[in-house]
Amino acid sequence: MNFDLSDEQKAYQAAARQFAQKALTPFAAEWDAHSHFPIQTLRQAGDMGFMSLYTPVEHGGMGLGRLDSTLIIEELSLGCTATAAYITIHNMATRMIATYGTPALHAEVLPRLVSGEKLASYCLTEPNAGSDAASLKTTALRQGKNYVLNGNKAFISGAGSTDFLVVMARTGESGSKGISAFVVPARAEGISYGRKEQKMGWNAQPTGTINFDQVVVPETWRLGQEGEGFGFAMQALDGGRINIATCSLGTAQAALNQAHSYLQTRTQFGKPLSSFQALQFKLADMATELQAARQMVRLAAWKLDHDDPEASTYSAMAKRFATDVGFEVCNEALQLHGGYGYIREYPLERHVRDSRVHQILEGTNEIMRVIIARRLLNNAHLAGFRE
């Protein structure tokens, strides 16, 4: 059991770190303050291969596994949490198209998505279908060789600023078996966008509602067969949970780095804060919890890479643990800065705001606990129980 990174993995990590330090970190506060979606920077990320991390090589992607991808995503999150998080969403949508799309669809959209020239949004959530995704109401009714979409999607990252939408819609019976997946041009006739949500965090990517009114989509732009969409969505969520957990790791590491530097340079009562044992203990606990979360995320990613039957459970565990730890580390780092942590001159308040949403996305952490508990009750081996 070797936990060391290979030379190739270290190279991925170093390339992402260099990109983040030059293209993300210097601008993250400004993007947050002005709610700017950095499309040109995303195209630069595409030049690095970061917009197609686990898209297969035969489709122009990097073809990386989930573990290797976490190394890149964590480094990008140190630079700008919201931008890194959007990159993971684009990657999820692009891989779904590469995996389940028709050759005609591949030729039409994949090269531009892989390069980052065009951007994608993932459209599953609805106003009344969040964690209960199988209850979604958006419909796709077949008319000859086309489908006609009607309905609404909510809390969609990139809404109004992206070029292609991966949309889950109902083509058949109620429940999960009646859901299919489609790719829809974001400017297709009949699509309209609601107002951009004013959010607590993740301000460097827009979030909003998307309305579909008699939107015509050719059958060749359906992903897979009718009724397979919910299964695709659930598979994507396993990776999505690892991605959002990884964004928490990177954000928390950035906060921990800032706190470490601050404790060594800030002086009170005639000596640096780092000389106070209580603060040393606090820093030690933050670092320990963060490292434990990192190992859990990498274990879940490894299991997903190897098609382990327990991968979904471990993805939920990693998401629950790492996002909770990530937020707590950011919050404690802010506390260690005292009043300075609360002002925008320092990045801590942004880290707290950005990391908080990770506990909600890809299924709230309460839902993660339900998923984990149910699987533990059905398989005691997962918890290490012994007779």
Side-chain angles (χ1 to χ4, degrees), residues 19 23-24 31 35-47 51 83 86-87 90 115-120 158-163 187 204-206:
F19 179 82
L24 301 180
W31 293 342
S35 296
H36 174 69
F37 189 41
I39 291 175
Q40 293 302 320
T41 302
L42 293 172
R43 288 177 178 151
Q44 293 172 22
D47 293 338
M51 303 301 279
T83 303
Y86 172 75
I87 287 173
H90 175 91
S115 68
E117 176 192 349
K118 299 296 183 181
L119 303 176
S161 297
T162 54
D163 305 287
R187 298 293 178 270
Q205 56 163 286

Side-chain angles (χ1 to χ4, degrees), residues 86 89-90 92-94 96 119-127 129-130 133 136-138 149 151-160 162-170 179-186 191-193 208-212 223 229-230 233 236-237 362:
Y86 172 75
I89 294 166
H90 175 91
M92 178 168 63
T94 301
M96 288 181 69
L119 303 176
S121 289
Y122 179 71
C123 306
L124 174 64
T125 302
E126 297 184 0
L136 65 81
K137 302 298 183 185
T138 296
L149 273 63
N152 312 96
K153 296 296 180 177
F155 300 117
I156 304 303
S157 291
T162 54
D163 305 287
F164 295 103
L165 313 174
V166 174
V167 182
M168 301 297 159
R170 188 166 302 285
I179 296 172
S180 301
F182 300 88
V183 178
V184 184
I191 292 179
S192 61
Y193 295 90
T209 58
I210 306 179
N211 309 305
F212 300 87
L223 300 179
F230 187 78
L237 281 178
E362 309 295 356

Side-chain angles (χ1 to χ4, degrees), residues 74 77-78 244-254 290 293-294 297 322 326:
E74 181 175 346
S77 298
L78 266 87
I244 211 68
T246 305
C247 288
S248 286
L249 297 180
T251 310
Q253 187 65 59
L290 181 55
R294 181 174 288 115
V297 170

Side-chain angles (χ1 to χ4, degrees), residues 49 117 158-159 197 367 385:
E117 176 192 349
E197 301 291 353
I367 294 295
F385 296 145

Side-chain angles (χ1 to χ4, degrees), residues 207-231:
T207 303
T209 58
I210 306 179
N211 309 305
F212 300 87
D213 183 10
Q214 297 292 106
V215 178
V216 177
V217 180
E219 64 179 357
T220 55
W221 286 48
R222 187 188 65 220
L223 300 179
Q225 301 301 313
E226 282 195 8
E228 292 184 335
F230 187 78

Side-chain angles (χ1 to χ4, degrees), residues 127-140:
N128 294 307
S131 297
D132 182 16
S135 67
L136 65 81
K137 302 298 183 185
T138 296
T139 59

